[in-house]
C-alpha cells in the first residue's frame, strides 16, 4: 500500500505528518517504510532523528545498488525504516516515466504494509507522477490562502496530467493540453469548460472524460488549525473542489496547531513519541482511521 | 454550474432527501462559498461565488418549501423542463401547520450561544449542524448523553416514524440542548411542536 503525501506548498507539515503517521502505523505493528522524495529539501531523516542513509535512491537508479532493500535505514522506531531520496538532485529529477513505474513497483515489492512517500513541495512532473501512481493520494493544506492556492495549483496540475495521460484520442488530449494553459485562447477556464469543449467535439468522449474526472480521488488533511472556524475548511475545500473539478475529495480530518510541536522538531523526535498524550495524537488517530478505511484507495497499478 | 442542473443536483442531495438534509446541504455549501471562505481562494472569484450562492439559494427556497417542492418534483417527474423560477404556487387553505424551515437569521457559527439561537428555529438540521460544528460524531453524542444512536439520528432527520413517544423526545432534546448550550426547556418544547405538526400534516 503506497501512500503519497503532497500539497504544493513548503513548510506546512508534510514531512512531520508523514513521519508521525508512519510512527503510529508502526506502533500498530505494521511494517512501514517512509521514503523521502523531496530532492531539494530532504528532511525526513531529521524528523526521525537518524542520519542520512549512506545509500539513497540515486544509487538504485544508477544501478550501483540492485536491491531496494539495501537502501532501507532502520530508525529508532521498531517496524519503521527510511529510504532517502537522491543526494544528487539530477538522479530522480530526470526520470523517464517507465523508470518511475518501475520504482513504484519496487516500493511495493519491499514487503512492507505501508510505504509512505514524502513528496515535498512543488508541482514538478516527477512529484505529480509519483502522486498519481500512489494507491492513496494525500494532499495537505493549512488554513492560509497561500497554502490553499498552492494546493489547488497542485491538484489542478495532477488532475490535468492524469486526464491527459489516460486519454487515447489526440484531439481530446490537445484540448486538455490547452486547458492546462490558463491563458489558452479557446477560453477554457475550468474543467467544466473543458468538458463542454470536448462534448462539442464528441459527446461520448465528453461523457467519458466526465466519468474519469469523477473517479479521480484525493484525500485531504488540514494541518495547523488554530481556531474552531478553520476546522470547517476541510469540508469547504471538499465542496469547492466538487463544484470546480467535478471530482470528489475525501476529507480525512485535521490537526490542531500545537505549540509544543516545535520542541519535538528541535529535538528531532516525532511528536507522537515526545508528547504521546497531546490532542494532536487523537486527531492523527482519526485521520489514520479514515485513511485506512477510505474507498479512495486505488488498486495497485 | 450547468443550466441543466436540477435543484437537487445544485444542492448535491438525492431526490429522496429529507427537508433537514436539504437544509443542512444548503448551509454547508453556503459557507464554502461565502465572502470570507478561504476554501474558494484562487478557484472562484467573488462574482463566480455569488452566482453559485444565488443558485444555491434558489434551489433551497424551492426545496425547503413543501408546496414548492411538490410542484417542482411534479415538473421533474413529468419531464417538463424545470423552470429555474417556478410559477408561484397557489396556497390552498389548510389547517395550521408549522412554517417551512426559515433561513436561519443567526450566523450558525454562533449557534451555540444561547442568546443567539432562538429556540423557535430549532430543527433536526440545526441539531446536526451544531453537533458537527462541535466536531462531534453521533457516536460521541450517544456516549456522552446515553441517548441511543438511532434516536439521535431520528431527531436530526425529524423522522417521525422512528422517533419514540413525546415524553422521550422531550427528555432527549433537553439533554442535547444542555450539551449544545441551548435553553433546554424552550428548545425541547419547540422541537416537540415541530414533530407534532409534522405528524399532523402527514
Amino acid at each position: 500500500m503506497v501512500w503519497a503525501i503532497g500539497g504544493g506548498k513548503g513548510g506546512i507539515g508534510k514531512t512531520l505528518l508523514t513521519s508521525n503517521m508512519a510512527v503510529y502505523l508502526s506502533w500498530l505493528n505494521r511494517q512501514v517504510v517512509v521514503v523521502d522524495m523531496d530532492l531539494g529539501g530532504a528532511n525526513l531523516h531529521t524528523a526521525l532523528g537518524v542520519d542520512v542513509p549512506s545509500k539513497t535512491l540515486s544509487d538504485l537508479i544508477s544501478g550501483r545498488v540492485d536491491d531496494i532493500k539495501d537502501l532501507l535505514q532502520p530508525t529508532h522506531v521498531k517496524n519503521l525504516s527510511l529510504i532517502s531520496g537522491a543526494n544528487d538532485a539530477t538522479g530522480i529529477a530526470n526520470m523517464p516515466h517507465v523508470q518511475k513505474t518501475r520504482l513504484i513497483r519496487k516500493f511495493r515489492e519491499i514487503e512492507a504494509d505501508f510505504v509512505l512517500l514524502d513528496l515535498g513541495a512543488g508541482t514538478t512532473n516527477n512529484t505529480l507522477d509519483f502522486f498519481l501512481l500512489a494507491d492513496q493520494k494525500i494532499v495537505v493544506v493549512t488554513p492560509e490562502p497561500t497554502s490553499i492556492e498552492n494546493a489547488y495549483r497542485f491538484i489542478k496540475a495532477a488532475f490535468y496530467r492524469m486526464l491527459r495521460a489516460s486519454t487515447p484520442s489526440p484531439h481530446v488530449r490537445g484540448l486538455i493540453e490547452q486547458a492546462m494553459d490558463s491563458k489558452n485562447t479557446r477560453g477554457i477556464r475550468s474543467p467544466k469548460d473543458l468538458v463542454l469543449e470536448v462534448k462539442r467535439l464528441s459527446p461520448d468522449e465528453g461523457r467519458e472524460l466526465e466519468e474519469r474526472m469523477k473517479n479521480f480521488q484525493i484525500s485531504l488533511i488540514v494541518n495547523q488549525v488554530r481556531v474552531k472556524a478553520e476546522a470547517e475548511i476541510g469540508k469547504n475545500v471538499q465542496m469547492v473542489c466538487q463544484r470546480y473539478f467535478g471530482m470528489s475529495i475525501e476529507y480525512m480530518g485535521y490537526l490542531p496547531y500545537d505549540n509544543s510541536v516545535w520542541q519535538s522538531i528541535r529535538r528531532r523526535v516525532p511528536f507522537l513519541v515526545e508528547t504521546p498524550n497531546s490532542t494532536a495524537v487523537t486527531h492523527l488517530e482519526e485521520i489514520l482511521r479514515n485513511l485506512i478505511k477510505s474507498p479512495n484507495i486505488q488498486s495497485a497499478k | 454550474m450547468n443550466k441543466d442542473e436540477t435543484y437537487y443536483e445544485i444542492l448535491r442531495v438525492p431526490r429522496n432527501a429529507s427537508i433537514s438534509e436539504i437544509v443542512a446541504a444548503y448551509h454547508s455549501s453556503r459557507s464554502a462559498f461565502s465572502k470570507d471562505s478561504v476554501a474558494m481562494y484562487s478557484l472562484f472569484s467573488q462574482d463566480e461565488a455569488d452566482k453559485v450562492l444565488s443558485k444555491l439559494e434558489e434551489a433551497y427556497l424551492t426545496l425547503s418549501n413543501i408546496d414548492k417542492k411538490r410542484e417542482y418534483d411534479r415538473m421533474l417527474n413529468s419531464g417538463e423542463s424545470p423552470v429555474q423560477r417556478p410559477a408561484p404556487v397557489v396556497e390552498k387553505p389548510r389547517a395550521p401547520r408549522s412554517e417551512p424551515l426559515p433561513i436561519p437569521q443567526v450566523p450558525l457559527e454562533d449557534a451555540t450561544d444561547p442568546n443567539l439561537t432562538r429556540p423557535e428555529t430549532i430543527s433536526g438540521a440545526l441539531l446536526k449542524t451544531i453537533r458537527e460544528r462541535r466536531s462531534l460524531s453521533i457516536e460521541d453524542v450517544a456516549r456522552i448523553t446515553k441517548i441511543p444512536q438511532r434516536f439521535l439520528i431520528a431527531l436530526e432527520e425529524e423522522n417521525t416514524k422512528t422517533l419514540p413517544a413525546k415524553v422521550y423526545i422531550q427528555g432527549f432534546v433537553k439533554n442535547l440542548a444542555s450539551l449544545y448550550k441551548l435553553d433546554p426547556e424552550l428548545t425541547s418544547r419547540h422541537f416537540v411542536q415541530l414533530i407534532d405538526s409534522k405528524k399532523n400534516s402527514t
Side-chain angles (χ1 to χ4, degrees):
Chain A
M1 183 67 64
V2 177
W3 291 3
I5 294 104
K9 183 154 173 53
I12 56 171
K14 288 184 293 305
T15 299
L16 231 58
L17 197 53
T18 308
S19 52
N20 281 277
M21 287 201 296
V23 168
Y24 192 85
L25 291 168
S26 314
W27 284 355
L28 298 178
N29 247 350
R30 305 287 208 273
Q31 295 301 319
V32 184
V33 173
V34 275
V35 185
D36 197 341
M37 309 282 289
D38 187 351
L39 302 182
N43 283 145
L44 208 37
H45 58 282
T46 309
L48 292 169
V50 295
D51 294 331
V52 183
S54 51
K55 301 222 175 2
T56 67
L57 281 173
S58 69
D59 293 303
L60 185 74
I61 292 160
S62 65
R64 282 190 291 274
V65 167
D66 279 326
D67 191 350
I68 194 166
K69 294 197 186 76
D70 293 339
L71 304 182
L72 289 170
Q73 162 101 333
T75 65
H76 304 298
V77 179
K78 180 165 162 267
N79 301 329
L80 175 61
S81 311
L82 162 73
I83 291 179
S84 202
N87 277 328
D88 61 289
T90 54
I92 299 185
N94 298 316
M95 229 192 275
H97 194 82
V98 67
Q99 216 165 31
K100 290 180 222 182
T101 37
R102 208 180 292 146
L103 189 56
I104 288 271
R105 206 169 39 241
K106 288 200 190 222
F107 289 148
R108 292 208 176 92
E109 284 166 8
I110 295 176
E111 288 160 14
D113 296 304
F114 293 97
V115 177
L116 268 51
L117 309 181
D118 179 1
L119 295 179
T123 50
T124 61
N125 285 341
N126 247 20
T127 307
L128 295 174
D129 284 339
F130 282 110
F131 182 75
L132 292 170
L133 286 167
D135 301 314
Q136 174 72 275
K137 301 184 253 304
I138 301 168
V139 169
V140 181
V141 291
T142 56
E144 284 86 33
T146 42
S147 162
I148 299 274
E149 189 173 20
N150 277 22
Y152 284 149
R153 198 173 289 141
F154 180 85
I155 294 171
K156 245 194 239 188
F159 181 76
Y160 284 126
R161 196 166 174 80
M162 176 279 297
L163 283 181
R164 192 182 64 171
S166 56
T167 299
S169 151
H171 299 297
V172 179
R173 228 185 359 253
L175 282 174
I176 296 171
E177 272 158 17
Q178 292 201 43
M180 285 159 106
D181 173 9
S182 57
K183 296 199 175 93
N184 69 82
T185 50
R186 262 201 129 99
I188 302 177
R189 296 281 167 264
S190 71
K192 291 210 152 58
D193 290 341
L194 174 63
V195 169
L196 285 171
E197 279 294 312
V198 174
K199 277 186 171 162
R200 213 169 285 160
L201 199 70
S202 151
D204 281 338
E205 292 197 270
R207 264 190 297 275
E208 213 271 317
L209 192 75
E210 256 179 333
E211 199 58 34
R212 266 184 288 132
M213 285 176 172
K214 217 166 50 160
N215 292 333
F216 185 51
Q217 285 160 327
I218 289 184
S219 300
L220 177 74
I221 298 174
V222 182
N223 195 18
Q224 298 183 22
V225 165
R226 286 171 210 250
V227 295
K228 197 83 180 79
E230 286 176 351
E232 298 294 306
I233 278 172
K235 295 211 176 84
N236 289 346
V237 167
Q238 191 177 30
M239 269 182 261
V240 166
C241 280
Q242 216 285 309
R243 280 186 206 274
Y244 184 83
F245 294 102
M247 72 183 210
S248 57
I249 278 204
E250 216 186 320
Y251 173 48
M252 295 296 161
Y254 73 91
L255 281 160
Y257 180 83
D258 189 335
N259 215 14
S260 55
V261 166
W262 70 267
Q263 294 175 36
S264 65
I265 299 173
R266 284 284 176 90
R267 290 161 50 81
R268 292 184 285 139
V269 176
F271 65 76
L272 270 194
V273 175
E274 181 88 340
T275 48
N277 297 320
S278 66
T279 46
V281 177
T282 328
H283 288 267
L284 194 67
E285 278 173 351
E286 169 81 13
I287 288 168
L288 281 168
R289 236 196 324 269
N290 290 333
L291 280 169
I292 288 172
K293 67 174 193 222
S294 146
N296 276 3
I297 293 170
Q298 247 105 71
S299 52
K301 294 181 189 54
Chain B
M1 234 171 288
N2 305 330
K3 292 194 187 55
D4 301 323
E5 273 187 317
T6 67
Y7 285 155
Y8 292 95
E9 285 161 345
I10 290 171
L11 288 173
R12 306 287 194 264
V13 292
R15 283 292 302 271
N16 61 359
S18 66
I19 298 268
S20 20
E21 281 167 338
I22 289 166
V23 171
Y26 170 66
H27 291 311
S28 303
S29 296
R30 204 169 62 138
S31 80
F33 291 92
S34 70
K35 196 162 66 78
D36 300 321
S37 167
V38 72
M40 55 173 203
Y41 181 66
S42 81
L43 276 193
F44 285 90
S45 65
Q46 193 52 57
D47 277 342
E48 287 164 337
D50 287 342
K51 290 197 181 95
V52 173
L53 285 173
S54 84
K55 285 245 150 88
L56 286 169
E57 190 170 326
E58 202 178 290
Y60 169 70
L61 286 174
T62 301
L63 297 184
S64 63
N65 178 309
I66 293 197
D67 294 322
K68 289 184 182 162
K69 181 177 185 292
R70 196 175 293 137
E71 174 61 20
Y72 182 74
D73 286 342
R74 191 198 61 73
M75 282 198 295
L76 278 185
N77 292 337
S78 68
E80 284 172 46
S81 155
V83 175
Q84 297 292 40
R85 290 188 190 284
V89 174
V90 175
E91 307 267 28
K92 296 195 215 54
R94 48 169 76 238
R97 55 194 291 285
S98 65
E99 285 298 289
L101 295 158
I103 299 170
Q105 300 303 308
V106 312
L108 283 168
E109 286 82 349
D110 299 318
T112 53
D113 183 337
N115 294 323
L116 292 179
T117 303
R118 301 195 325 277
E120 54 269 36
T121 64
I122 194 61
S123 67
L126 192 51
L127 286 176
K128 183 174 178 184
T129 305
I130 297 174
R131 174 175 61 75
E132 285 174 344
R133 283 188 189 269
R134 287 168 165 267
S135 299
L136 294 170
S137 65
I138 291 277
E139 291 98 316
D140 292 335
V141 176
R143 201 178 47 242
I144 298 166
T145 61
K146 309 285 184 270
I147 300 171
Q149 289 188 32
R150 67 186 185 287
F151 291 139
L152 287 171
I153 295 168
L155 284 168
E156 289 185 354
E157 289 179 345
E158 292 169 24
N159 186 337
T160 51
K161 288 193 177 62
T162 318
L163 283 172
K166 209 190 297 189
V167 63
Y168 288 103
I169 300 179
Q170 255 169 355
F172 291 157
V173 176
K174 273 191 197 164
N175 213 340
L176 283 176
S178 303
L179 178 64
Y180 299 149
K181 306 230 185 323
L182 308 173
D183 181 304
E185 195 59 47
L186 290 174
T187 307
S188 77
R189 201 184 310 157
H190 283 284
F191 192 86
V192 167
Q193 262 172 26
L194 177 68
I195 297 296
D196 270 345
S197 58
K198 271 189 98 165
K199 278 193 175 143
N200 292 338
S201 69
T202 47

